[in-house]
């Protein structure tokens, strides 16, 4: 758990806590999540990684009350996840789901952004500037009157983000939000999230199996068959190399390269290197040769 | 499918396009009622001219209205024929058993023909100048009084708008699934009736599964975004009533007075 | 089986979901048994091109020669079945085409449509299911009870069971996790290598292009704007960027190293090639382990 590991002076209060959470779907033999405990520091970017069907998406559904916990407790933004608080929690934590098509409720872009505001009973005159503002923040202002059929997947996801931002949440959860997008859409969505996080000091909880996406996170949690199998910073997780494949993931590019070079006798440090650090190491080796 | 003009919207910026969809719906229904008041040549002439004027005001090419009438042409001709041969009155030119050809029959048939063409033109005008989205918003707005009898107007309105929003998605999916099954050797539109019905199963089941998937995901997304049926909501989309709408109602009252004045009975 | 497109244009009817995503004057030969990758932005016409390869679409202008069948705008829709049996097409999110009560019935659906007997179709289905790694215990289950990744495999098996000579894959690994992706790409490579099946792969993954393809076609705005070996296509990063396309990871990293001043003789396209080059560079005596 992160709060056990001191990270200098910038240790943040957890904004999400999960304590011995177990979720079991009725039609399945094994629990989707089995006795999971973790915390997510406020203002962090936390990635939850794992293969398809590992249970990682169930965690977001449990936090937003879309599935009920069989055991354990959770808190979000200081509130316990229960019947009495769930609607307030949903305003504090917005979710961008995987399929861009299946979360677009409104008939046009602006209508869709307004959907959450309508549910929150915001008066119409206050809604209009908030919709405009939210669209501007995701760079979709010019598309306000478009119908969803005329948008790309990446654009639809940005509209979904605008719908969340309009409600001024503390947390944005991404439930494999980029997995159905083409590379351009993926980059645009992640850039939008990065900008928003920086501007509004949000907490990002990103469920993904994309290691590049996880590499940019502050913390990484690995879920495998409903169990929390590892947690730590990206370097700590990625240094596991081949073991990641057993978890249904892949070996990060730099780690694979390091393994191949080390096997050939090129002296490289044992810990995980980012691309930048790797290039620097190779340059050093080359220039001191 | 593509030449069926009913329900096809042509975006534009004419006076008719800019009218409140609610007034368009109400006035078109009202107009259809007035058409049944007409009973002589002069009243049909007034209605015909009025329709022509309305059509011209939309700035939409006449060919689109013709495409609206074309699918109904068989129905129109059938109705006209019945009028021609089953109405007796005035001078009778020819008769055989129950059939007859008379001046009254011909006149009646001509009026029925005009009536149908006028009605189809006006309904086509409504759908050509009003987007499905506007029609659904307008219907929801017109249903508002039903709230008094605890009819779930808001839920029906949301259902209607979501249904409309998913039409292109499901059409897109139908094409994809059909293509995928054709690639697996299904022949659509060949073989006998039973073979053709069997060929539909590999499309319908995936489409059904996919529609359920859409619905389940959408349910999650809507709940996560704070939608609850047991709480009031505010509304973002409103329809604007303009002076031109008030004026249109005035024009229709004048039209009604004229028709009442020139009709025979 | 060779496919030759000669000045092929295709226009979608306005108002259809794909309007604007047509083809303009595409001429290209897909050689027998080759592994060809097609890259290009979303909406560049890749999917439209694919559907011409098994005559799901007929060119509005120009001709498509599939083996010895010539397809033109006037070709009748009848008798295209033998051709579709030879050219297997796996659509994007192929799991959406499943419909039968059991996994084996669904996979046998294609072969049966192409005239196989019940018994023959099941044999072919079982073989295909083995290839994609679906265990026998699932054969009698409903395909809808499987996980997303398994459903994708069953759908792919449904096309493999037709025993096609050419396999066309439209982003077959989209949405799968890295392991599932690697396994499927491995399967296609094996089919190509060991059974000589031709592969046409539409993908956004430049690593897959670098690792597997022999030839690359680059599409933009319905036109074929470049074709060549992966090395040729990836040789001009600035041009690729202008087409909104990227480089494989290894090539990107190699350029980063070159910018720093590490001399690399050629731009490597795969991680293994990059490692080899770096070993050469860092061990001038010949790459022997020190």
């Amino acid at each position: 758990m992160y709060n056990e590991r001191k990270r200098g002076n910038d240790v943040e209060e957890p904004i999400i806590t999960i304590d011995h959470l177990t979720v079991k779907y009725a039609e399945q033999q094994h629990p989707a999540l089995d006795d999971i405990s973790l915390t997510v520091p406020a203002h962090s970017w936390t990635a939850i990684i794992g293969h398809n069907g590992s249970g990682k998406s169930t965690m977001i559904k449990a936090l937003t009350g879309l599935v009920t916990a069989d055991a354990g407790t959770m808190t979000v933004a200081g509130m316990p996840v229960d019947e009495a608080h769930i609607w307030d929690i949903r305003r504090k934590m917005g979710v961008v789901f995987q399929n861009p098509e299946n979360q677009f409720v409104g008939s046009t872009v602006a209508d869709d952004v307004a959907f959450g505001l309508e549910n929150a009973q915001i008066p119409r005159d206050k809604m209009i500037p908030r919709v405009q503002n939210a669209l501007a923040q995701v760079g979709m202002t010019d598309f306000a009157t478009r119908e969803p059929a005329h948008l790309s997947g990446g654009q639809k996801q940005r509209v979904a983000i605008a719908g969340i931002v309009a409600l001024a949440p503390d947390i944005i959860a991404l439930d494999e939000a980029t997995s159905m997008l083409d590379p351009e859409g993926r980059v645009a969505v992640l850039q939008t999230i990065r900008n928003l996080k920086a501007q509004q000091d949000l907490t990002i909880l990103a469920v993904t199996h994309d290691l590049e996406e996880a590499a940019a996170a502050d913390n990484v949690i690995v879920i495998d068959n409903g169990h929390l199998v590892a947690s730590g910073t990206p370097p700590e997780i990625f240094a596991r190399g081949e073991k990641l494949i057993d978890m249904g993931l892949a070996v990060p590019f730099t780690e694979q390269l390091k393994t191949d070079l080390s096997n050939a006798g090129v002296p490289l440090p044992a810990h995980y290197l980012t691309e930048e650090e790797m290039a620097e190491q190779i340059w050093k080796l080359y220039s001191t040769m | 499918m593509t030449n069926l003009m009913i329900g096809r919207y042509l975006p534009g910026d004419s006076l008719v396009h800019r009218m409140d969809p609610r007034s368009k719906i109400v006035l078109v229904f009202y107009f259809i009622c007035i058409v049944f008041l007409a009973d002589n040549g002069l009243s049909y002439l007034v209605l015909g001219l009025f329709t022509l004027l309305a059509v011209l005001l939309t700035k939409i090419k006449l060919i689109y209205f013709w495409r609206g009438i074309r699918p109904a042409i068989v129905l129109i001709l059938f109705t006209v024929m019945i009028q021609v041969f089953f109405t007796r009155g005035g001078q009778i030119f020819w008769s055989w058993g129950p059939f007859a050809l008379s001046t009254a029959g011909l006149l009646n048939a001509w009026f029925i023909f005009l009536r149908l063409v006028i009605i189809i033109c006006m309904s086509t005008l409504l759908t050509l100048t009003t987007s499905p989205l506007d029609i659904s918003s307008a219907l929801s707005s017109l249903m508002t009084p039903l709230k008094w009898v605890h009819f779930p107007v808001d839920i029906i309105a949301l259902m209607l708008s979501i249904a409309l929003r998913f039409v292109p998605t499901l059409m897109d999916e139908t094409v994809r699934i059909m293509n995928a099954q054709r690639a697996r050797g299904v022949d659509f539109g060949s073989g006998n009736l039973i073979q053709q019905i069997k060929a539909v199963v590999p499309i319908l089941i995936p489409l059904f599964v996919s529609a359920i998937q859409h619905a389940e995901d959408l349910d999650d997304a809507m709940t996560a975004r704070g939608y609850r049926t047991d709480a009031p909501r505010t509304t973002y989309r409103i329809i604007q009533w303009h002076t031109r709408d008030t004026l249109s109602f005035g024009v229709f009252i004048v039209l009604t007075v004229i028709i009442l004045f020139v009709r025979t009975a | 089986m060779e496919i030759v497109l000669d000045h092929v244009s295709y226009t979608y009817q306005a108002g259809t979901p794909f309007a604007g995503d047509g083809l303009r004057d595409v001429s290209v030969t897909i050689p027998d048994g080759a592994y060809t990758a097609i890259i290009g932005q979303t909406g560049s016409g890749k999917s439209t091109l694919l559907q011409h390869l098994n005559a799901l679409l007929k060119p509005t202008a120009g001709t498509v020669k599939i083996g010895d069948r010539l397809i033109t705008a006037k070709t009748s829709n009848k008798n295209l079945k033998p051709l579709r049996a030879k050219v297997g097409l796996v659509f994007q999110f192929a799991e959406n085409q499943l419909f039968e009560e059991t996994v084996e019935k669904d996979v046998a659906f294609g072969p049966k449509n192409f005239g196989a007997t019940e018994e023959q179709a099941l044999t072919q289905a079982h073989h295909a299911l083995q290839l994609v790694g679906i265990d026998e215990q699932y054969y009698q289950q409903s395909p809808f009870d499987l996980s997303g990744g398994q459903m994708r495999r069953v759908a792919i098996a449904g096309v493999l069971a037709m025993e096609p000579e050419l396999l066309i894959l439209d982003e077959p690994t989209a949405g799968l996790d890295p392991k599932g992706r690697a396994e499927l790409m491995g399967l296609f490579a094996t089919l190509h290598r060991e059974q000589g099946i031709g592969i046409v792969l539409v993908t956004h993954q430049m690593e897959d292009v670098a690792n597997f393809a022999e030839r690359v076609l680059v599409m933009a705005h319905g036109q074929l704007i470049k074709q060549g070996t992966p090395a040729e296509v990836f040789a001009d990063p600035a041009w690729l960027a202008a087409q909104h396309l990227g480089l494989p990871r290894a090539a990107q990293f190699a350029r980063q190293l070159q910018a720093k001043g590490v001399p690399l003789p050629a731009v490597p396209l795969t991680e293994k090639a990059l490692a080899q080059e770096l070993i050469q560079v860092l061990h001038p005596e010949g790459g022997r382990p020190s």
Side-chain angles (χ1 to χ4, degrees), chain A residues 242 251-268 278, chain C residues 270-279 282-283 287 289:
Chain A
E242 300 278 320
V251 179
F253 172 75
T254 50
E255 200 59 27
Q256 184 65 54
L257 184 62
K258 196 174 77 186
T259 309
D260 289 346
L261 293 180
S262 302
N263 287 346
V266 178
L268 286 167
M278 187 76 171
Chain C
T270 63
E271 185 273 327
K272 294 288 171 234
L274 173 65
Q276 273 312 311
E277 280 193 28
L278 281 174
I279 292 165
L282 298 172
H283 291 278

Side-chain angles (χ1 to χ4, degrees), chain C residues 25-285:
Chain C
D25 198 21
V26 174
S27 293
V28 66
T29 299
I30 295 178
D32 185 27
Y35 199 132
T36 310
I38 305 180
I39 58 175
Q41 263 190 295
T42 305
S44 58
K46 301 181 304 260
S47 297
T48 310
L49 179 63
L50 287 196
Q51 293 181 43
H52 278 81
L53 302 182
N54 74 344
L56 275 181
L57 291 177
K58 289 174 289 182
T60 318
T63 61
V64 182
K65 197 157 179 264
I66 306 170
D68 45 18
R69 279 292 296 271
L70 191 72
I71 308 288
T72 68
K74 292 196 185 86
T75 304
S76 142
N77 278 330
K78 291 201 174 106
N79 305 321
L80 292 175
K81 263 196 187 179
L83 190 155
R84 293 202 180 126
K86 285 185 195 159
V87 184
L89 204 169
V90 176
F91 278 85
Q92 231 182 75
F93 300 107
E95 58 275 23
N96 291 344
Q97 72 190 35
L98 301 176
F99 74 99
E100 277 283 14
E101 294 155 67
T102 68
V103 166
E104 69 173 15
K105 267 192 184 177
D106 205 294
V107 177
F109 178 68
K112 268 198 288 182
N113 282 330
F114 292 119
T117 62
E118 190 81 31
E119 201 182 343
Q120 222 177 342
L122 279 179
T123 314
Q124 281 169 248
H126 293 163
H127 181 64
L129 283 166
Q130 260 168 18
L131 280 176
V132 299
I134 293 288
D135 197 87
E136 217 167 306
Q137 58 167 315
Y138 296 110
Y139 289 4
Q140 302 300 327
Q141 282 191 25
S142 161
F144 301 108
D145 289 340
L146 304 178
S147 74
Q150 286 171 321
M151 281 170 78
R152 177 80 55 90
R153 285 156 188 271
V154 170
I156 291 172
V159 174
L160 289 178
M162 292 152 38
E163 298 179 346
E165 293 171 29
L166 176 66
L167 188 60
I168 305 177
L169 306 157
D170 192 355
E171 291 189 54
T173 62
L176 296 184
D177 58 30
K179 193 179 174 196
R181 183 172 285 178
E183 284 170 358
L184 274 185
M185 290 314 295
L187 164 71
F188 302 139
T190 310
L191 287 173
H192 174 61
R193 201 175 47 238
E194 289 174 7
Q195 303 186 19
I197 292 180
I199 305 251
V200 176
L201 171 76
V202 164
T203 184
H204 287 298
Q205 306 284 328
M206 298 305 156
E207 285 69 32
D208 289 344
V209 178
N211 281 323
F212 300 108
E214 293 152 2
R215 291 193 68 72
V216 188
L217 312 181
V218 188
M219 297 288 297
H221 308 294
Q223 287 172 302
L224 177 67
I225 54 169
K226 195 172 214 157
Q227 56 173 315
T229 63
E232 284 162 1
V233 168
F234 289 130
D236 189 351
W239 181 85
L240 279 168
Q243 308 307 325
H244 300 269
L245 297 170
L247 281 173
R249 220 33 217 283
Q252 269 176 42
F253 187 68
R255 279 171 51 83
Q256 211 174 325
L257 288 174
Q258 282 174 326
K260 275 186 183 288
V262 179
L264 291 171
V267 174
L269 298 182
T270 63
E271 185 273 327
K272 294 288 171 234
L274 173 65
Q276 273 312 311
E277 280 193 28
L278 281 174
I279 292 165
Q280 295 286 330
V281 169
L282 298 172
H283 291 278
E285 68 272 17

Side-chain angles (χ1 to χ4, degrees), chain A residues 193-213:
Chain A
I193 292 285
R194 248 175 242 128
N195 294 344
L196 287 170
K197 180 182 185 298
Q199 286 159 14
Q200 306 182 7
D201 215 10
L202 297 166
T203 305
I204 307 294
L205 182 64
V207 163
T208 181
H209 50 232
D210 182 348
L211 291 187
E212 312 300 328
E213 202 179 309

Side-chain angles (χ1 to χ4, degrees), chain B residues 27 38 49 59 61 66-67 73 88 107 138 180 186 190 259:
Chain B
L27 289 177
L49 285 176
K59 295 181 187 165
K61 284 186 193 138
W66 164 237
R67 285 189 202 161
I73 207 92
R88 281 163 194 263
L107 195 68
V186 177
S190 74
I259 294 294

